[in-house]
Amino acid sequence: MKLYSHPLSGHAHRARLFLSLIGAKADVVDVDLAAREHKSPGFLALNPFGQLPVLQDGDLVVSDSNAILVYLAKKYAPEGWLPEEPAAAAAVQRWLSVAAGEIAYGPCAARLVTLFGAKFDTEEVIARAHRILGLIDTHLAGREWLATTRPTIADVALYSYIARAPEGNVDRSAYRSVTAWLERIEALPGFQPFQKSPVGIVEAA
């Protein structure tokens, strides 16, 4: 397998993290975003949307970070990462939608402002980040994982941008249940950290 990635992309980190957690091997190919390699004809032949990450498994090409998580869970992961039971499967899907929606337009967008100078309304995206962090914090009170009683791809999908939310000037310190959840993910065998950037709120070591 090949994973087309970038070390500062939280979407790409989802895929790299899950590969590591399940012990699946893939060659990581770093794509030069600054040189717009993701818009080159060669890359667009893999993913016409021109976005990272992209997973190539033999002749099969899977794009979109959440789709990659589903594919890896179905083909390579031990049972439980993507449950078959209807209610549990629906719970996982609910959080994948949050990753693609509220997380992308909250913590992710706020980080894009400080890291890449994205033209978002800073106050608006930080407010969105706090709203979804508050909802997740309430949801996690009294439970360890987002969707079921064990880690699933839902937890993987939300981890990266929440872990680096302070880089977008989103103060995460008040969300104690979220903090404990992040620590549980970081304690999983095979955990792979998401590269830190010296922007936003500097967290204590």
Side-chain angles (χ1 to χ4, degrees):
M1 285 191 290
K2 288 184 179 179
L3 179 69
Y4 294 84
S5 177
H6 188 279
L8 296 181
S9 165
H11 287 73
H13 180 257
R14 289 174 189 164
R16 288 189 288 113
L17 172 59
F18 192 45
L19 282 164
S20 186
L21 289 173
I22 64 176
K25 303 298 183 184
D27 294 326
V28 176
V29 180
D30 283 336
V31 176
D32 190 342
L33 298 181
R36 295 184 61 77
E37 187 180 353
H38 57 304
K39 303 300 182 183
S40 68
F43 187 84
L44 291 174
L46 290 172
N47 181 10
F49 288 90
Q51 298 171 336
L52 295 174
V54 173
L55 182 75
Q56 191 168 18
D57 188 7
D59 293 332
L60 179 68
V61 176
V62 184
S63 58
D64 180 85
S65 59
N66 289 342
I68 290 171
L69 295 183
V70 170
Y71 174 76
L72 292 172
K74 286 288 188 182
K75 186 165 184 181
Y76 295 107
E79 186 176 354
W81 284 102
L82 180 54
E84 294 291 337
E85 191 275 321
V92 169
Q93 179 57 57
R94 176 198 183 200
W95 290 107
L96 294 182
S97 296
V98 170
E102 288 90 339
I103 295 297
Y105 294 103
C108 172
R111 180 173 172 270
L112 289 174
V113 172
T114 58
L115 199 56
F116 298 112
K119 304 301 182 183
F120 293 114
D121 182 317
T122 302
E123 291 186 5
E124 181 180 3
V125 293
I126 289 176
R128 287 178 183 169
H130 281 294
R131 180 178 183 276
I132 189 58
L133 285 174
L135 289 170
I136 294 170
D137 199 64
T138 298
H139 176 75
L140 285 169
R143 60 184 298 145
E144 293 190 342
W145 307 104
L146 288 170
T148 72
T149 57
R150 55 149 292 157
T152 66
I153 60 171
D155 301 283
V156 177
L158 268 65
Y159 171 82
S160 306
Y161 287 117
I162 293 179
R164 295 291 168 265
E167 293 180 1
N169 287 315
V170 177
D171 186 354
R172 213 184 52 230
S173 60
Y175 306 108
R176 295 185 179 181
S177 295
V178 167
T179 298
W181 167 77
L182 292 172
E183 292 171 351
R184 283 191 289 274
I185 294 175
E186 291 161 5
L188 291 172
F191 172 78
Q192 183 176 93
F194 184 17
Q195 181 174 313
K196 292 184 178 181
S197 299
V199 294
I201 300 169
V202 178
E203 295 181 285

